């Protein structure tokens, strides 16, 4: 009891939790065990291919501080400063590749903007994760898309990371930008 009282005096409100208190999550932790893993199919699992459209959420320990690594797809930005983004399990998800199911997309709204040099940069997000079906508008190559997410981060802290340990390697298909290039003779 004394130690927790002392810690309350030493740590200011809103201080980041100690590393030992952070639970490290992987993308598989967010989907039910019955949902096929994208890796096992050799391609990203899309919501339309699932009986529940990927809306069954598996992780429900709200109130715990967690860390999840993924790729940042900005939904609200000003230049390189990002205020809100979708955290997705593979690079290219939603705009260049199929949209993952909602239980594989996390909406991150930041208290302060984060400097993001490029779309789909690998990031580590630490904060409070909770279930909350949200819809975000995203402008993609062929227009506006509404992307559902099954989780949201609050009190989020974002850092660049070297990689995502459980990243899905999406198959390389035709480049959609090639369709826009003019053919020259």
């Amino acid at each position: 009891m004394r130690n927790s009282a002392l810690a309350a005096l030493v740590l200011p409100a809103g201080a980041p939790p100690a590393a030992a208190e952070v639970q490290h999550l992987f993308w598989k932790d967010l989907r039910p065990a019955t949902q096929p893993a994208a890796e096992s199919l050799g391609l990203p699992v899309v919501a339309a291919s699932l009986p529940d459209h990927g809306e069954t959420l598996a992780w429900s320990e709200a109130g715990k501080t967690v860390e999840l690594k993924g790729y940042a797809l900005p939904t609200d930005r000003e230049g390189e400063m990002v205020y809100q983004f979708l955290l997705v399990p593979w690079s290219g998800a939603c705009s260049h590749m199929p949209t993952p199911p909602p239980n594989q997309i996390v909406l991150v709204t930041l208290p302060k903007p984060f400097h993001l040099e490029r779309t789909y940069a690998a990031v580590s997000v630490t904060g409070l994760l909770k279930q909350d079906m949200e819809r975000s508008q995203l402008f993609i190559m062929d227009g506006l898309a509404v992307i559902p997410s099954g989780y949201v981060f609050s009190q989020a802290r974002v850092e660049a990371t070297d990689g995502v340990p459980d990243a899905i390697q999406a198959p390389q298909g035709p480049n959609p930008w090639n369709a826009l290039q003019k053919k020259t003779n």
Side-chain angles (χ1 to χ4, degrees), residues 24-128:
H24 300 278
L25 291 182
F26 295 97
W27 288 100
K28 66 180 175 74
D29 298 327
L30 304 181
R31 67 173 186 261
T34 56
Q35 180 177 318
E39 311 87 280
S40 68
L41 299 176
L43 61 117
V45 174
V46 293
S49 67
L50 300 170
D52 67 349
H53 299 289
E55 292 182 354
T56 301
L57 308 176
W59 194 86
S60 62
E61 299 179 42
K64 284 191 173 184
T65 301
V66 300
E67 176 197 38
L68 180 64
K69 294 181 179 183
Y71 298 94
L73 178 58
T75 57
D76 185 10
R77 74 184 312 163
E78 189 173 315
E80 292 183 351
M81 300 307 290
V82 175
Y83 297 88
Q84 185 180 67
F85 63 90
L86 297 175
L87 188 66
V88 294
W90 62 80
S91 182
C94 303
S95 62
H96 301 298
M97 299 291 300
T99 300
N103 62 22
Q104 296 289 280
I105 301 176
V106 181
L107 179 63
V108 182
T109 302
L110 303 168
K112 310 186 301 189
F114 174 73
H115 183 261
L116 188 70
E117 292 181 14
R118 62 181 175 81
T119 299
Y120 294 115
V123 295
S124 171
V125 181
T126 304
L128 301 176

